[in-house]
Amino acid sequence: MINALRGMKDLTFEESERFVHIVTTAIGISKKYGYSYIETPILEETKLFKRSVGESSDIVGKEMYQFMDKGDNDVCMRPEGTAGVVRSFIQAKLDRRQNEKFKFYYYGPMFRYERPQKGRLREFHQFGCESFGEASVYEDFTIIQMIGDIFKALGIGYTLQINSLGCPTCMPPYRQKLIGFLTECKEELCEDCNRRIDTNPIRVLDCKNEKCQSLLIDSPKLLQNLCNECDSDFKKLKTLLDKSNIAYEVDSNLVRGLDYYSKTAFEFVSNEIGSQSAIAGGGRYDKLVEFLDGKATPAVGFALGIERIMELVKMPKTEREGYYLGVMEEENIDALFPLASKKRVAQKVTVEYEPKKLKAHLKGADKVNARYCAVIGEDEMKNGTIWIKDLVEKEESIINQSDF
Ligand code: HAM
């Protein structure tokens, strides 16, 4: 028997319904916020992710599904959606339309070769949004508000964590300060952190090692080292959230696992799904378009993890719906198709091809959760009628086929 690969899952029945429910809810809300659909390829040049997500990130360093294709191109299955959307934005020359704003939403599979565990897959699905051309912190607030709306519509509780990662003015001097601090306690930091001092010292801040975390209590804090602009934007964001009654926690160690962020960074976490608790994450990435050779364009976005949210979503009980049609004699089956077509304009219709006794048809209607079981027997065929049972009201009737 051939099974799905480790860390990859099939979704069917109730699970796939939950998946569709999450995606359609998110699409409905993001459209109300002015987003339009963008579809980008799953396979991209490896260098796109190296340059955007960052060579020193775990995603690029350890987790990429990377290979040489038959044409000897170094390609990679996307580990996240932002890089491809930015590549597409530049390729379509939208970066040259500097006084316009562009808002895109997307959903689809992402691939990370991580160690699979509960809530952590190798193929998982994200719904994401990317907003281009809006430098104002009001847009950061609006995106957070939109995610809040999506979770509210799905009936999901969460904790919102926010931080500012500064900009090219305040980040480099802070980085130097942090390197100084980390170098002094180098011996006591874990192996990963030691490596990160040189490659990406900011990532040390979210090391999960308890010893490292206890040492970091005294580390210089970025929020206390922001330039005036970043500081005032962060304060403005907090005021906007306060005024809208959106609860949040400031987490100065929230650095995110991707290198392209500046200024606002945020994560939505749930305490109901175990250790892989981030259900959405995002932030501002004002330098990325320029970094990928486009014209400098401010941008902000997020992605939510559909599988993790599936753990939290409760689907409303599905009501009985539509019609089940059957015949008792084989020769009458043709009569069902025009009736089915007519009903399908507005209703769900299941046609049973096998002639059966009434009792068996009622069972069949029950199995497909139909509201009505409609059957043509010998008498009905003779009289041009059809027998119908409403399986909710438990009422039976016989009507003319022409009135069906
Ligand atoms: P991310 O935080 O890497 O951000 O991923 C977003 C969400 O995807 C996470 O919060 C989590 O719910 C889900 N996720 C990540 N990895 C896995 C996994 N292995 N298994 C299951 N779910 C997972 C990004 O990808 C950015 N592109 C978000 C963004 C968009 N920032 C700006 N624009």
Side-chain angles (χ1 to χ4, degrees):
M1 190 175 65
I2 300 169
N3 290 320
L5 295 173
R6 200 162 115 78
M8 304 198 179
K9 265 174 66 165
D10 304 310
L11 295 178
T12 45
F13 305 122
E14 203 272 332
E15 271 193 318
S16 53
E17 289 300 326
R18 248 182 298 150
F19 182 99
V20 171
H21 175 57
I22 293 164
V23 172
T24 46
T25 303
I27 290 176
I29 290 169
S30 61
K31 278 187 168 169
K32 292 211 177 88
Y33 278 81
Y35 285 77
S36 69
Y37 184 56
I38 184 167
E39 172 78 26
T40 65
I42 286 169
L43 214 55
E44 297 270 6
E45 278 196 68
T46 299
K47 65 177 180 233
L48 171 65
F49 301 109
K50 284 195 171 163
R51 273 168 67 185
S52 55
V53 177
E55 299 242 25
S56 64
S57 67
D58 283 351
I59 295 179
V60 169
K62 305 181 195 163
E63 299 167 1
M64 297 232 282
Y65 276 87
Q66 181 188 354
F67 57 94
M68 302 305 287
D69 73 6
K70 289 186 168 52
D72 234 11
N73 303 298
D74 187 352
V75 295
C76 178
M77 314 235 312
R78 64 181 182 196
E80 59 101 53
T82 310
V85 174
V86 173
R87 195 257 320 122
S88 162
F89 177 81
I90 299 167
Q91 192 173 338
K93 299 190 172 53
L94 299 180
D95 57 325
R96 310 222 181 136
R97 290 159 61 175
Q98 285 277 312
N99 43 15
E100 290 179 61
K101 321 240 188 279
F102 298 93
K103 294 174 198 283
F104 298 111
Y105 76 83
Y106 55 89
Y107 60 95
M110 309 291 158
F111 301 84
R112 297 184 191 174
Y113 198 85
E114 297 188 77
R115 194 174 49 76
Q117 65 174 85
K118 184 173 180 311
R120 189 160 72 191
L121 292 153
R122 287 181 174 169
E123 183 193 35
F124 60 99
H125 295 77
Q126 288 184 344
F127 173 90
C129 286
E130 313 294 349
S131 164
F132 295 95
E134 186 55 83
S136 156
V137 70
Y138 290 115
E139 187 70 346
D140 309 21
F141 162 72
T142 303
I143 282 210
I144 291 175
Q145 191 184 40
M146 173 164 77
I147 305 168
D149 284 358
I150 294 173
F151 288 150
K152 189 167 170 206
L154 293 170
I156 288 177
Y158 57 81
T159 304
L160 166 64
Q161 298 170 340
I162 58 168
N163 191 19
S164 173
L165 296 175
C167 68
T169 306
C170 49
M171 178 48 101
Y174 169 73
R175 207 181 144 100
Q176 280 320 113
K177 260 193 201 180
L178 185 65
I179 292 175
F181 173 87
L182 297 174
T183 312
E184 270 178 34
C185 54
K186 206 173 157 80
E187 260 90 89
E188 291 169 87
L189 290 168
C190 75
E191 214 177 289
D192 271 350
C193 285
N194 261 288
R195 204 169 22 82
R196 285 181 184 136
I197 296 177
D198 301 319
T199 56
N200 195 351
I202 308 300
R203 282 305 308 278
V204 173
L205 297 177
D206 80 342
C207 177
K208 301 288 173 278
N209 185 307
E210 274 177 31
K211 179 91 189 290
C212 295
Q213 275 308 322
S214 70
L215 289 166
L216 287 168
I217 290 171
D218 299 322
S219 68
K221 301 286 178 254
L222 177 55
L223 286 179
Q224 283 149 18
N225 288 272
L226 293 176
C227 63
N228 287 341
E229 189 185 305
C230 289
D231 188 48
S232 108
D233 274 357
F234 194 58
K235 284 189 176 129
K236 181 89 204 173
L237 176 66
K238 289 191 289 183
T239 308
L240 289 164
L241 294 170
D242 288 336
K243 281 190 177 159
S244 312
N245 291 321
I246 300 175
Y248 61 87
E249 290 170 1
V250 173
D251 178 356
S252 59
N253 289 344
L254 177 73
V255 297
R256 311 269 302 122
L258 309 100
D259 286 356
Y260 48 63
Y261 293 109
S262 54
K263 292 192 170 173
T264 307
F266 57 82
E267 245 166 39
F268 286 72
V269 296
S270 162
N271 59 13
E272 292 172 45
I273 50 170
S275 68
Q276 299 304 306
S277 59
I279 51 175
R284 189 161 271 288
Y285 52 95
D286 287 344
K287 298 291 153 200
L288 185 56
V289 176
E290 199 178 355
F291 201 65
L292 291 175
D293 306 325
K295 244 180 143 172
T297 309
V300 54
F302 77 94
L304 47 85
I306 299 178
E307 282 84 356
R308 291 187 192 170
I309 293 164
M310 281 170 63
E311 298 278 309
L312 297 162
V313 168
K314 283 177 197 64
M315 289 286 279
K317 196 176 164 288
T318 43
E319 304 285 333
R320 285 187 176 278
E321 186 197 347
Y323 282 79
Y324 166 102
L325 304 184
V327 287
M328 293 169 75
E329 290 83 21
E330 186 151 17
E331 64 272 20
N332 297 334
I333 179 91
D334 291 2
L336 293 181
F337 297 108
L339 298 176
S341 292
K342 201 166 140 192
K343 275 289 173 219
R344 268 199 196 107
V345 174
Q347 303 250 24
K348 177 175 142 186
V349 178
T350 307
V351 179
E352 171 59 53
Y353 306 138
E354 189 93 15
K356 285 180 190 174
K357 297 240 168 64
L358 207 53
K359 214 169 150 194
H361 279 312
L362 284 166
K363 256 195 193 158
D366 200 48
K367 257 203 171 136
V368 296
N369 211 26
R371 164 95 195 240
Y372 301 97
C373 176
V375 178
I376 297 179
E378 215 175 346
D379 286 351
E380 285 79 16
M381 200 60 204
K382 220 168 34 206
N383 302 331
T385 56
I386 184 163
W387 175 89
I388 303 174
K389 181 165 183 178
D390 180 336
L391 299 171
V392 174
E393 301 293 338
K394 311 277 184 225
E395 281 165 6
E396 295 175 29
S397 58
I398 292 174
I399 62 162
N400 286 326
Q401 287 175 20
S402 52
D403 297 331
F404 185 70

